Amino acid sequence: MSGAGDEPFIAAVKPLVDAMGGEMIPPDEAGPDDVVLSWEGGDAVAVRLPQLADSLDHILAAMERRKGPLADLDRKAKQEVVRTLEARGAFSVRHGVETVASALGVSRFTVYNYLNREKGA
């Protein structure tokens, strides 16, 4: 993917790329929507960013790895998840409310209630 001198840089950015659901590709394979990262004067790696809908699935999967099955959380914990997702823009994605409701094992109405409760508090 890159020269041997780039390996520490690539290793350093890999956790960030993984956390956002991106994909690391060789810089010479980068398309117009990819982000090319340079290191010490040369292109080290390109990052292919995920589609927004894929990002939401990735965020939900990461939350589930940390917290356990989201549907098993208590109401307060689910409200916290909704707050976190709202802060990350999850509900600007098409079908975001439905996707989150499904992951939490609640109705869309419940997710909207959680969102409204935060705005009213």
Side-chain angles (χ1 to χ4, degrees):
M1 186 176 318
S2 61
D6 298 333
E7 288 176 19
F9 174 73
I10 292 170
V13 298
K14 185 175 184 341
L16 174 62
V17 174
D18 290 347
M20 64 185 200
E23 176 186 359
M24 298 174 86
I25 58 173
D28 58 348
E29 293 179 18
D33 294 330
D34 297 327
V35 179
V36 177
L37 303 176
S38 297
W39 180 250
E40 296 183 347
D43 293 340
V45 66
V47 178
R48 180 153 295 150
L49 300 173
Q51 298 298 313
L52 282 176
D54 295 338
S55 291
L56 179 53
D57 290 338
H58 190 80
I59 291 167
L60 288 167
M63 291 181 107
E64 196 152 85
R65 281 192 300 277
R66 283 194 308 273
K67 298 177 180 285
L70 298 179
D72 294 346
L73 298 175
D74 64 23
R75 184 175 53 84
K76 184 174 178 166
K78 288 179 182 183
Q79 289 171 335
E80 185 179 312
V81 167
V82 168
R83 248 191 323 273
T84 300
L85 292 171
E86 182 180 30
R88 293 187 70 179
F91 302 110
S92 63
V93 176
R94 186 166 188 229
H95 301 298
V97 170
E98 292 86 347
T99 301
V100 170
S102 176
L104 292 175
V106 300
S107 69
R108 290 179 343 180
F109 180 75
T110 298
V111 172
Y112 284 119
N113 278 341
Y114 292 168
L115 290 167
N116 289 334
R117 178 169 291 133
E118 287 308 307
K119 288 177 179 43

